[in-house]
Every structure is written in C-alpha cells, then in structure tokens.
Amino acid sequence: CVASIERVLKEEKGIFSVEVALLAESADVTYDPELINPSKIREIIDDMGFTAAEVSEKSRADELNLSIGGMTCA
C-alpha cells in the first residue's frame, strides 16, 4: 500500500515528492500550491480506500503532513 500511495500521488500534476511511512501511518508531501491543494491530495488518498487527515502545518506552504489510516502489509 505504501508503494501504491506514493506512485499514485507522484503521478499527479503539481506533486513533487511523497514519503509514506507504514509504521507511523503518515505521509509527507511536497507540492505546488498553484497546481494542487491539500484537499485534493486527501481526496486522492481517500479514493484509494485509505483515510487521510492533515496532522500539522509544515513550516513551508508547499509541504503537507498527513495521517493515513487503513494501511496494512497484507
């Protein structure tokens, strides 16, 4: 599931990098706020069958920290 989330998000226009941590159930996303917004990023993850919620504001406007639910190794 980590690889699929990273792959799908990286395919989206405006997303530069994605780091998903299975054990922490989290993701850090760097994006272009002129091309995509946090709401759309969460929607993409939700559409994949996971749940995504913004954890905290990053120090830069183009970074997003998410909590992701529903990830398993199975």
Side-chain angles (χ1 to χ4, degrees), residues 12-24:
E12 286 294 316
K13 186 173 184 173
I15 294 183
F16 302 125
S17 70
V18 180
E19 293 180 25
V20 178
L22 177 64
L23 295 178

Side-chain angles (χ1 to χ4, degrees), residues 17-66:
S17 70
V18 180
E19 293 180 25
V20 178
L22 177 64
L23 295 178
E25 295 184 323
S26 67
D28 290 318
V29 182
T30 305
Y31 64 98
D32 183 341
E34 293 183 20
L35 298 176
I36 194 165
N37 60 49
S39 172
K40 178 64 178 172
I41 295 169
R42 289 190 309 271
E43 180 183 317
I44 293 166
I45 295 169
D46 290 344
D47 288 347
M48 294 179 67
F50 305 102
T51 58
E54 195 165 344
V55 174
S56 63
E57 295 255 343
K58 295 289 245 172
S59 58
R60 296 176 15 189
D62 63 347
E63 293 181 344
L64 180 63
N65 182 266
L66 297 169

